[in-house]
């Protein structure tokens, strides 16, 4: 669900407290670029454009280099907006908490409750056991389980949860056939888990933070536009997620790491893990029920329009349905878990979701979201967005399909070395301005950029799942980079083609037509 990278935490130990060379450079380069930008006059007569550009450059430098924790950089608008004459802190502060944050928190509360009662582990083992078969099918089972879990819970947590199960299978194989003969299978399992966690998060709005960033930044930039709802996004992104999962599985098991036929998998490992969980408890059934209901309510809340076909949304049947959004559903269903009493002996809380869940919520990501939203708001209020867009007006002659492909490739490789959440929040306001300037639908550029931010597969630092499996000591950087490079290229093509086919139908995108709600005012 979330990319929980937020910079180094000194509390993690002495090694974590020491800044790398790039962090030290970024720490001083950011303020230097900030001051140099203030000396310029980008838009005569409108000094706030230059000041906002200076702040954006400072935040971008610190986010890219991870000079200070990402969430700390996200706090800069709260005190620099008033100091630079952009906006009062009292007007900026509410931007940090909104319906998108409510959606994120509600979804995360449900996910943490699933982890608390090991529901996610049971789902994963059930999927792996159901797929079964030889080594390639076992890898597919791990990937399907990881992808499904990552649609709803943190992709980091999904990878951490899947890792010990994968290692248990690998260790049993190594005992039977030796480490050298099972090398291909070991790498397949590890890479399969990492790539599936990233691909699975694409499918839902709550699957990964860049998706939620898009939802809110789009609403901030174009307040009169129809909001991006869970259902249309799911219909559009699920095929992309499934295609990336299939390609990753094929590349891993059929091209790069073919497992010898004589190496067979001992299914007893999975069965043993299932037996450890015991019979399904009342609390688990309750969580599964709430989880299933939440997914259904999210997908079918708003009408889903696919060309001439319209699937009506349930919220349209209610007297005040227009006031309900996906955040309403998330927080309502999470609250229900506070009302269901526990029945298992020895339970540490009286209800299925205990009070401790609030302490485990990723508030650093909430602040990172808020900083990105404030940045997008500043781009709009100061006129910096229009200024940047005018500078890219020459792109109006570039074919949309080629423009989308270039954006996908740029975002994919950029996020190999930077936080995908921070990068997305930096570039989305720019892509929105470019779209307006070139006369194309803003989502034609913003959605592919967002999807591509989650498709970085080459480097261990690219995504938390990559880092988790790299720490298993079963994958070399060269192996991850070799498969990841090919998968990155496939990802850019898949996103371009599938979005180009489904995006216009689901989001009302007319090629070459700028919607009225996106047209700049006088």
């Amino acid at each position: 669900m979330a990319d929980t990278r937020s910079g180094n935490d000194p509390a993690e130990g002495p090694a974590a407290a020491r800044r790398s060379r790039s962090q030290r450079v970024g720490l001083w380069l950011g303020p230097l670029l900030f001051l140099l930008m203030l000396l310029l006059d980008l838009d005569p007569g409108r000094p706030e454009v230059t000041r906002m550009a200076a702040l954006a450059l400072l935040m971008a430098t610190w986010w890219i280099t991870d000079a200070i924790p990402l969430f700390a950089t996200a706090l800069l608008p709260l005190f620099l907006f008033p100091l630079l004459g952009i906006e009062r802190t009292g007007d900026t502060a509410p931007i940090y908490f909104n319906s998108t944050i409510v959606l994120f928190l509600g979804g995360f509360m449900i996910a943490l409750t699933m982890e608390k009662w090991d529901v996610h582990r049971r789902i994963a083992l059930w999927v792996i056991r159901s797929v079964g078969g030889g080594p390639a099918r076992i890898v597919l089972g791990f990937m399907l389980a990881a992808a499904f879990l990552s649609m709803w819970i943190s992709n980091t947590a999904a990878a951490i949860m899947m890792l010990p199960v994968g290692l248990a299978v690998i260790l049993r194989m190594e005992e039977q056939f030796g480490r050298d003969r099972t090398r291909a299978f070991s790498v397949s399992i590890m890479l399969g888990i990492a790539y599936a966690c990233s691909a699975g998060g694409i499918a839902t709005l709550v699957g990964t933070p860049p998706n939620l960033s898009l939802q809110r930044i789009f609403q901030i930039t174009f307040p009169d536009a129809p909001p991006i709802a869970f259902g249309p996004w799911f219909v559009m992104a699920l095929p992309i997620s499934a295609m990336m999962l299939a390609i990753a599985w094929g590349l891993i098991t059929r091209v790069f790491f073919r497992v010898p036929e004589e190496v067979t998998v001992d299914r007893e490992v999975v069965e043993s893990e299932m037996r450890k969980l015991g019979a399904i408890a009342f609390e688990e059934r309750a969580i599964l029920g709430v989880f299933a209901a939440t997914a259904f309510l999210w997908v079918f809340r708003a009408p889903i329009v696919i060309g001439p076909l319209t699937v009506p949304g349930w919220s349209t049947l209610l007297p005040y349905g227009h006031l309900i959004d996906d955040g309403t559903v998330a927080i309502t269903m999470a609250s229900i878990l506070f009302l269901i009493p526990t029945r298992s002996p020895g339970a540490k809380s009286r209800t299925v979701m205990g009070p401790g869940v609030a302490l485990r919520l990723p508030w650093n990501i909430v602040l990172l979201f808020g900083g990105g939203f404030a940045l997008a708001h500043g781009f709009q209020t100061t006129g910096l967005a229009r200024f940047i867009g005018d500078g890219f007006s020459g792109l109006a002659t570039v074919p949309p399909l080629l423009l989308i492909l270039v954006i996908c490739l740029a975002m994919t490789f950029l996020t190999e070395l930077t936080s995908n959440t921070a990068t997305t929040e930096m570039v989305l306001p720019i892509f929105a301005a470019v779209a307006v300037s070139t006369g194309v639908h803003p989502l034609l550029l913003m959605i592919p950029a967002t999807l591509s931010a989650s498709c970085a597969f080459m480097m261990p630092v690219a995504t938390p799942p990559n880092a988790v499996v790299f720490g298993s000591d079963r994958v070399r950087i060269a192996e991850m980079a070799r498969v990841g490079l090919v998968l990155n290229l496939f990802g850019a093509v898949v996103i371009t083609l599938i979005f180009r086919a489904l995006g216009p139908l689901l989001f009302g995108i007319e090629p070459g037509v700028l919607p009225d709600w996106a047209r700049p005012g006088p």
Side-chain angles (χ1 to χ4, degrees), residues 105-423:
L105 292 177
F108 223 101
M109 290 163 71
I110 295 173
L112 288 174
T113 308
M114 292 176 67
E115 292 181 36
K116 174 183 176 181
W117 294 96
D118 266 344
V119 175
H120 60 324
R121 189 176 183 85
R122 189 180 294 277
I123 292 173
L125 291 171
W126 180 84
V127 172
I128 296 169
R129 185 176 66 175
S130 299
V131 175
R137 290 184 64 182
I138 287 291
V139 173
L140 178 61
F142 272 92
M143 294 181 71
L144 290 174
F148 178 77
L149 290 174
S150 294
M151 293 180 188
W152 315 101
I153 71 174
S154 160
N155 57 10
T156 310
I160 291 173
M161 186 276 299
M162 297 295 297
L163 184 66
V165 182
L167 286 175
V169 175
I170 290 170
L171 290 172
R172 182 69 65 89
M173 295 275 286
E174 289 177 345
E175 291 174 1
Q176 187 175 355
F177 299 100
R179 187 159 184 169
D180 291 339
R181 294 177 66 192
T182 58
R183 174 70 187 170
F185 177 74
S186 302
V187 177
S188 297
I189 286 284
M190 293 295 102
L191 290 182
I193 290 173
Y195 294 163
C197 286
S198 296
I202 292 173
T204 65
L205 278 179
V206 297
T208 185
N211 296 354
L212 288 170
S213 296
L214 166 67
Q215 184 192 47
R216 183 59 186 172
I217 290 173
F218 179 70
Q219 190 173 356
I220 290 172
T221 309
F222 306 106
D224 297 327
I228 299 174
F230 194 101
W233 179 275
F234 184 72
V235 174
M236 178 271 301
L238 183 62
I240 297 175
S241 177
M243 182 64 72
M244 291 303 300
L245 202 65
I247 292 173
W249 177 72
L251 288 175
I252 292 170
T253 62
R254 305 299 185 188
V255 178
F256 289 98
F257 303 102
R258 295 182 67 91
V259 180
E261 294 182 3
E262 67 272 13
V263 176
T264 57
V265 180
D266 187 355
R267 292 171 54 87
E268 176 57 27
V269 178
V270 178
E271 296 295 338
S272 173
E273 293 293 326
M274 287 290 291
R275 287 194 293 271
K276 289 179 183 178
L277 291 176
I280 186 168
F282 164 78
E283 292 83 1
E284 293 178 78
R285 295 181 187 276
I287 294 167
L288 285 171
V290 170
F291 167 71
T294 303
F296 176 85
L297 293 174
W298 269 337
V299 172
F300 296 105
R301 178 189 63 80
I304 301 175
V305 181
I306 309 176
L309 175 65
T310 299
V311 179
W314 57 262
S315 63
T316 60
L317 304 177
L318 301 179
Y320 307 106
H322 63 285
L323 300 179
I324 297 174
D325 58 21
D326 292 326
T328 310
V329 174
I331 211 67
T332 299
M333 302 310 289
S335 299
I336 289 175
L337 293 174
F338 280 113
L339 303 176
I340 302 175
T342 55
R343 296 183 183 178
S344 297
K348 296 182 180 180
S349 59
R350 290 177 294 180
T351 58
V352 172
M353 185 191 299
V357 70
L359 302 177
R360 298 183 59 202
L361 289 171
W363 297 107
N364 56 334
I365 300 297
V366 172
L367 292 176
L368 178 56
F369 276 144
F373 301 156
L375 193 63
H377 174 71
F379 269 62
Q380 292 303 119
T381 57
T382 61
L384 178 60
R386 182 183 295 189
F387 175 83
I388 293 175
D390 292 342
F392 287 91
S393 58
L395 294 176
T397 59
V398 178
L401 195 65
L402 177 60
L403 189 57
I404 293 172
L405 180 61
V406 171
I407 287 174
C408 289
L409 288 170
M411 285 296 294
T412 296
F413 287 98
L414 179 60
T415 52
E416 287 289 350
L417 299 173
T418 62
S419 163
N420 57 4
T421 306
T423 303

Side-chain angles (χ1 to χ4, degrees), residues 7 11 35 70 84 95 97 132 136 146 176 179 189 196 198 314 332 346 360 422 458 466 487 500 510:
L35 294 174
L70 301 184
L84 295 173
I95 298 172
F97 197 92
Q176 187 175 355
R179 187 159 184 169
I189 286 284
S198 296
W314 57 262
T332 299
R360 298 183 59 202
M458 286 180 59
N466 283 12
L487 199 54
R500 195 70 178 88
E510 297 183 40

Side-chain angles (χ1 to χ4, degrees), residues 14 30 42 125 178 226 360 427 506:
L42 298 179
L125 291 171
R360 298 183 59 202
V427 303
L506 290 162

Side-chain angles (χ1 to χ4, degrees), residues 38-125:
L38 287 179
L39 297 176
L40 303 178
D41 188 7
L42 298 179
D43 191 356
R46 301 181 65 187
E48 65 274 13
V49 171
T50 302
R51 297 188 207 119
M52 186 64 219
L55 174 56
L57 196 56
L58 170 61
M59 294 179 68
T61 304
W62 279 1
W63 268 340
I64 290 173
T65 61
D66 198 16
I68 63 175
L70 301 184
F71 72 88
T73 300
L75 297 175
L76 293 180
L78 286 172
F79 63 89
L80 286 183
F81 270 13
L83 291 178
L84 295 173
I86 295 173
E87 190 175 59
R88 294 174 59 252
T89 299
D91 295 327
T92 306
I95 298 172
Y96 280 72
F97 197 92
N98 47 66
S99 61
T100 299
I101 297 300
V102 172
L103 171 60
F104 175 75
L105 292 177
F108 223 101
M109 290 163 71
I110 295 173
L112 288 174
T113 308
M114 292 176 67
E115 292 181 36
K116 174 183 176 181
W117 294 96
D118 266 344
V119 175
H120 60 324
R121 189 176 183 85
R122 189 180 294 277
I123 292 173
L125 291 171

